[in-house]
Structures are given as C-alpha cells and as structure tokens.
C-alpha cells in the first residue's frame, strides 16, 4: 500500500482549514488502496489556527508542525518535506485555490511510473488586478532571460512528487529558499497540468504587491548572477565613452582654446555616473547580504510543537 503525504502550510487560516479538510476527505476516499498523511504547518499564526490543528490531529491522517514564529511559506514547505514519510509527497495551499480533485490525476500519472513529479500551472489570472498580472508576466520574462534554471510562467507550488525527488530537494540545504526554482533545479521528469485560477474560499491573501515584488527580487538573486555583471558592462561602456570624449576635448582645445562652458552637461554626467555606481554597489550589496545569511547558517525554521507534543 502506497502512502501519500500532503504538506499544507497555514498562516492565519482559521477560516479555511476545516473547509479544506472536508474537501480532502472526499478526495482521499476516491484514491483507493492508499494511506494518507496530511501535514499542516502552522507558520506562527496569531489566530486560532493552532487550536484547530490540535483538534483536527485527533484524526489519524492529520499531523501538524507548529513553528515558534512566522518563518514564511518556503520554510513551511521545507519543514513539511523533512517530516513527510510518504512514498509520494504533495504540496497544497489550504485556501482551496489548489483544486483537491487534481490529486487523483496526479496520483494516477505518478503510478504509471514515467514521471517523477506532476506539477501545476495557472493559465488564467482571472480575479487578479491587471497591474499585478502585467508585472508577473514581466518578471517571468526577465528571470528566464537571466537564469539558467527555467522558471515556468504561472507555476504553482501545488504538485505531487516521488520520494526520490523529495530526497534530492532535501539535499539542497540553502537558507534563501525559492522552492519553484529548486524543484526545477534538481531535475527529474515533470508533467505539467494546467488549470484556471480559482479564488480562495475564505480569508485573505497573505501577499501584498510589495511583498511579491521583494520575493521576485529575491528569486532573481537566488537563481541568477547576471545582475552582478551589470557593473562590469557599464564600466566598459563608460570607459569607452570617456576615452572618445577625452580625444574630442583635446582636439577642440587645441583648435579653439579653452573657454569655460558646459557645466550643466557636466553636472548631468556626474549624476548619471554617480547613480549607476550606487546601483551597482546596491546589486553587489544584495548578493553580499544573501551570502551573509547563508554563511551564518541559521536554521530555516524552528519547531515549537508537533502532534506528538512539545518539541524537545
Ligand atoms: N502561508 C504561509 N506562511 C506565510 C504566508 C502564507 O504558510 O507567511 C500559506 C498560506 O496559509 C496559504 C499559502 O501559504 O496556505 C498561500 O498563501 P496565500 O493564499 O495567502 O497566497 P496566494 O494564493 O494569494 O498567492
Ligand atoms: Mg491563496
């Protein structure tokens, strides 16, 4: 009998957890001859999420991990992958934006044995502000130009993977975790299923536009070093331009003498070069700060409590 683990990160989700579990019970019944383990991760919620999970864990297919504070969804996913004991391991949001019935297809595809992972991507962005969709598209264009790891447009975390693939993911122990990139980076054969955007059943999204923006910058730093070469490119370009300007000035001075003029253009050039220098220093700073965090080697998450009681 195969065991399926499903990892469900929850942050202030008191309104959705029970709805989710109800839907999942229907699906779990439909997948025959398997055993399920739902691993909920309470990511430092400040509402009743933990109480609900404690209660729910009386069911033998429910486990939970509770963090000592909010560590972010990526940390939740990592913790879940570590705790999961299944032969197949899935990731899902608790807000029912990931249609549970799709698990049935995913399971059947993995059982055929050709694929190591069945992942999902959203093909429509209905119910999303147009400005957000615009920036999302722009983001995928940029990151796929500058990263060797392909980041699939609209890819969700919702997926089911084999134990072998999860073991490989766990070998990637970096602190700045950008899971969608890591899933791609470890390789293996992935089948993509497409579906239309579903709005969350209750509660609100935890992602503001600003948070998403910062997250996208982080993913670029995590999966590309191209921005680091911007400084060199500008450097070469500016040296070349400066060389030509020097020649022009020498020739002009020799021919026309040296009237003092042109200070406004000089000021503009100083601002431009100063700005570009700061930009490049900033980019280096981004990478340096990430390196600093990696070197400190802090744990990605801290568990306070699991369904077995307080962590020792
Ligand atoms: N989540 C989490 N930690 C966080 C933020 C979100 O575990 O710091 C969980 C959240 O409970 C949900 C999933 O991640 O199950 C996706 O979050 P959300 O629905 O807010 O994001 P969206 O679907 O709008 O991208
Ligand atoms: Mg959601």
């Amino acid at each position: 009998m195969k065991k399926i683990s499903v990892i469900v990160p929850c942050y202030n989700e008191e309104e959705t957890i029970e709805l989710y579990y109800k839907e999942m019970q229907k699906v779990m019944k439909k997948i025959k001859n398997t055993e399920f383990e739902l691993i909920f991760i309470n990511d430092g919620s400040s509402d009743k999420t933990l109480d609900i999970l404690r209660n729910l864990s009386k069911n033998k297919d429910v486990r939970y991990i509770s963090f000592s504070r909010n560590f972010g969804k990526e940390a939740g996913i990592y913790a879940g992958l570590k705790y999961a004991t299944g032969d197949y391991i899935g990731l899902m949001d608790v807000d029912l934006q990931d249609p549970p019935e799709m698990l049935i297809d995913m399971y059947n595809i993995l059982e055929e044995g050709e694929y190591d992972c069945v992942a999902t991507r959203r093909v429509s962005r209905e119910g999303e502000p147009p400005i957000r969709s615009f920036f999302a598209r722009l983001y995928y264009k940029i990151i796929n130009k500058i990263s060797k790891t392909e980041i699939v447009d609209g890819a969700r975390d919702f997926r089911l993977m084999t134990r072998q693939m999860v073991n490989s993911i766990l070998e990637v122990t970096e602190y700045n975790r950008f899971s969608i990139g890591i899933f791609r980076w470890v390789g293996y054969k992935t089948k993509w299923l497409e579906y239309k955007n579903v709005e969350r059943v209750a509660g609100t999204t935890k992602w503001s536009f600003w948070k998403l923006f910062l997250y996208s910058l982080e993913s670029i730093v995590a999966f590309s070093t191209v921005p680091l070469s911007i400084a060199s490119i500008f450097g070469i370009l500016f040296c070349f331009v400066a060389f030509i300007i020097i020649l022009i000035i020498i020739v002009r001075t020799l021919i026309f003498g040296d009237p003092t003029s042109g200070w406004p253009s000089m000021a503009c050039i100083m601002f431009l070069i100063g700005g570009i220098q700061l930009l490049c220093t900033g980019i280096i700073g981004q990478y340096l700060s990430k390196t600093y965090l990696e070197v400190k080697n802090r744990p990605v998450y801290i568990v306070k409590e699991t369904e077995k009681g307080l962590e020792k």
Side-chain angles (χ1 to χ4, degrees):
M1 197 160 75
K2 287 260 167 70
K3 184 170 183 181
I4 304 177
S5 307
V6 180
I7 298 161
V8 196
C10 306
Y11 177 50
N12 292 341
E13 298 280 7
E14 57 184 8
E15 295 170 66
T16 52
I17 294 177
E18 277 154 344
L19 294 171
Y20 169 82
Y21 186 59
K22 230 185 241 154
E23 287 298 311
M24 277 304 284
Q25 277 177 315
K26 293 182 205 155
V27 170
M28 292 191 289
K29 270 193 210 111
K30 283 191 202 149
I31 306 183
K32 296 271 165 352
N33 292 325
T34 50
E35 189 189 339
F36 265 88
E37 147 185 273
L38 303 183
I39 307 177
F40 292 89
I41 290 104
N42 171 36
D43 187 10
S45 304
S46 51
D47 63 0
K48 297 206 185 64
T49 298
L50 182 55
D51 292 331
I52 296 172
L53 290 180
R54 280 187 187 127
N55 206 6
L56 217 58
S57 70
K58 287 173 191 145
N59 300 297
K60 75 174 200 328
D61 50 9
V62 175
R63 298 176 63 197
Y64 74 89
I65 305 170
S66 181
F67 287 173
S68 60
R69 64 167 170 86
N70 179 252
F71 280 90
K73 186 182 177 186
E74 297 288 346
I77 292 176
Y78 185 51
L81 291 175
K82 271 194 162 170
Y83 275 69
T85 57
D87 304 297
Y88 295 137
I89 294 124
L91 298 178
M92 273 175 104
D93 286 0
V94 72
D95 56 10
L96 290 175
Q97 277 189 297
D98 300 332
E101 318 79 59
M102 283 180 84
L103 271 179
I104 304 171
D105 288 339
M106 291 178 164
Y107 171 76
N108 289 335
I109 292 169
L110 284 190
E111 274 291 270
E112 280 164 20
E114 198 196 335
Y115 292 96
D116 305 286
C117 171
V118 185
T120 54
R121 53 187 292 257
R122 269 194 318 196
V123 281
S124 76
R125 294 180 164 273
E126 276 151 37
E128 198 183 57
I131 180 100
R132 195 151 154 172
S133 310
F134 170 77
F135 276 103
R137 292 223 175 78
L138 187 70
Y139 162 75
Y140 284 114
K141 255 194 204 130
I142 293 176
I143 188 144
N144 281 321
K145 278 256 154 59
I146 64 179
S147 162
K148 286 197 193 95
T149 305
E150 192 199 354
I151 310 294
V152 176
D153 187 351
R156 304 270 305 167
D157 288 324
F158 183 29
R159 60 181 62 225
L160 192 67
M161 298 173 281
T162 58
R163 166 61 38 197
Q164 186 192 21
M165 180 165 170
V166 169
N167 286 344
S168 303
I169 293 167
L170 288 175
E171 277 178 49
V172 182
T173 52
E174 59 199 46
Y175 181 81
N176 299 290
R177 301 189 74 78
F178 174 58
S179 292
I180 292 194
I182 295 174
F183 297 152
R184 191 78 189 177
W185 185 88
V186 294
Y188 296 103
K189 245 182 128 172
T190 300
K191 176 158 179 93
W192 289 95
L193 302 181
E194 301 186 342
Y195 72 101
K196 286 218 172 85
N197 191 29
V198 185
E199 296 201 35
R200 61 160 50 235
V201 279
T204 49
T205 173
K206 311 296 176 300
W207 292 89
S208 63
F209 184 76
W210 181 240
K211 255 186 159 175
L212 272 179
F213 179 69
L214 292 181
Y215 184 63
S216 64
L217 286 189
E218 268 180 28
S219 70
I220 290 176
V221 174
F223 273 87
S224 170
T225 49
V226 168
L228 275 177
S229 38
I230 288 178
S232 328
I233 295 169
F234 273 122
I236 293 169
L237 202 74
F238 276 38
C239 283
F240 183 70
V241 173
F243 184 70
I244 291 174
I245 293 176
I246 289 169
L247 281 184
I248 293 174
I249 289 177
I250 290 177
V251 171
R252 203 180 61 179
T253 315
L254 286 178
I255 300 174
F256 301 108
D258 186 16
T260 311
S261 68
W263 69 266
S265 54
M266 189 63 92
C268 291
I269 291 168
M270 274 162 62
F271 268 109
L272 175 70
I273 296 180
I276 288 172
Q277 280 177 338
L278 284 180
L279 173 75
C280 295
T281 318
I283 291 172
I284 295 172
Q286 283 295 321
Y287 282 87
L288 184 66
S289 70
K290 294 294 166 205
T291 315
Y292 177 57
L293 285 173
E294 293 293 347
V295 170
K296 281 207 276 195
N297 209 7
R298 285 186 180 163
V300 177
Y301 58 87
I302 291 170
V303 176
K304 188 169 170 211
E305 177 188 327
T306 67
E307 78 281 354
K308 295 195 182 92
L310 287 184
E311 211 38 10
K312 276 168 223 96

